Amino acid sequence: MSQTGLLGNLHGVQTRSSYNQSCTCLQRRSLRLHRLPQASRPTRVARGNYSMSAGQRVRHVTASSATASPPAPSAAAPEQQQAAPVLPFRVGYGFDLHRLVEGKKLIICGIDVPHVRGCDAHSDGDVALHALTDAILGALCLPDIGQLFPDTDPKWKGANSDTFIKEAVRLMHERGYQLGNVDITIIAQQPKLSPHKEKMRDQLCLLLGSHPSTVNIKAKTHEKVDSLGENRSIACHTVCTLLRS
């Protein structure tokens, strides 16, 4: 064999050997990739307007469907709005305060209490009835005593506060409630109110149509602190409950 032929055969052997080695490397690499855990997981592929997963059919995805949000609920018409709840009971709180001046009568719970000073007010200045009126109105979620009986109206100048509490009681019955109980705290440095408490409660029960066991009156001083403790003013806090009739 000539030298040229021998070289050609050697070159062919080397080429086939290199090819076989490359195939072996590719097979080993394919086996390693096949054994990787990622190779068995479905892969999400998105191209253009299409999305697909391994082993799944191609699904068309549009921009509007990808970003669409659920429709907003339409506003209910006024006649379709939820009705007000019917509560089995309601709680109200009232407060009132008046300056004490000479030359005025001191009226508390509708009773004339002897004292050298009385309340400076547009009406008779009964702090207990004013606070109780506000407590009942507040429990009913109605306007307060100042809105229903404004001190800018001459009609209420010097008016008896029985009028205010009777109107509050009428509104209470009109809305289907009756008085549960009343707890009143009167704050005054002077005069001493203990001797008058029973008479005050009897008058309140008459105005409210309530049993004495549901009406309580407490009297406190203010330990000579600020205008209340210096006998320059008088105040009252009241809490009441209303029960569904």
Side-chain angles (χ1 to χ4, degrees):
M1 181 181 294
S2 65
Q3 185 176 4
T4 303
L6 180 61
L7 290 176
N9 290 336
L10 289 175
H11 178 72
V13 171
Q14 290 176 354
T15 301
R16 285 193 297 273
S17 176
S18 299
Y19 173 77
N20 292 335
Q21 290 178 0
S22 299
C23 290
T24 302
C25 292
L26 288 174
Q27 290 175 356
R28 290 177 180 175
R29 181 178 300 177
S30 176
L31 287 174
R32 284 198 300 269
L33 288 174
H34 181 70
R35 291 173 182 175
L36 290 176
Q38 291 85 348
S40 60
R41 296 178 184 175
T43 304
R44 190 79 172 178
V45 180
R47 293 182 180 178
N49 290 333
Y50 294 87
S51 67
M52 58 184 177
S53 299
Q56 296 182 356
R57 299 179 63 183
V58 176
R59 181 172 61 89
H60 184 67
V61 180
T62 62
S64 58
S65 63
T67 59
S69 57
S74 58
E79 62 273 8
Q80 296 178 346
Q81 290 181 357
Q82 185 179 4
V86 179
L87 303 179
F89 69 92
R90 291 173 175 263
V91 178
Y93 167 77
F95 171 77
D96 195 33
L97 180 145
H98 286 296
R99 292 188 302 116
L100 292 174
V101 296
E102 295 182 357
K104 295 275 190 176
K105 289 184 177 182
L106 181 60
I107 309 295
I108 305 176
C109 296
I111 300 300
D112 189 348
V113 179
H115 191 44
V116 295
R117 295 183 177 186
C119 290
D120 184 19
H122 185 69
S123 62
D124 63 4
D126 191 328
V127 290
L129 291 189
H130 291 182
L132 180 54
T133 299
D134 257 350
I136 295 175
L137 294 174
L140 297 170
C141 295
L142 294 176
D144 60 33
I145 187 174
Q147 293 173 279
L148 296 182
F149 310 100
D151 57 9
T152 55
D153 190 344
K155 177 181 179 180
W156 309 116
K157 178 68 175 178
N160 192 320
S161 294
D162 291 4
T163 304
F164 308 150
I165 193 67
K166 288 178 180 177
E167 176 62 10
V169 170
R170 185 192 70 80
L171 293 171
M172 174 184 68
H173 291 156
E174 184 178 78
R175 282 156 178 76
Y177 288 90
Q178 61 182 353
L179 198 63
N181 73 299
V182 176
D183 190 20
I184 296 175
T185 302
I186 304 167
I187 305 175
Q189 195 66 33
Q190 293 179 3
K192 294 295 183 182
L193 298 179
S194 296
H196 309 284
K197 286 170 60 177
E198 289 300 321
K199 192 175 181 180
M200 290 178 183
R201 184 168 67 175
D202 291 343
Q203 181 63 16
L204 271 182
C205 290
L206 182 63
L207 292 172
L208 300 172
S210 300
H211 190 273
S213 63
T214 64
V215 178
N216 185 50
I217 298 176
K218 305 187 295 292
K220 304 289 184 180
T221 68
H222 215 247
E223 298 297 333
K224 299 182 179 181
V225 177
D226 65 36
S227 65
L228 289 168
E230 294 171 358
N231 195 32
R232 294 186 289 111
S233 63
I234 184 172
C236 181
H237 298 265
T238 301
V239 177
C240 72
T241 58
L242 309 184
L243 306 178
R244 190 70 182 173
S245 300

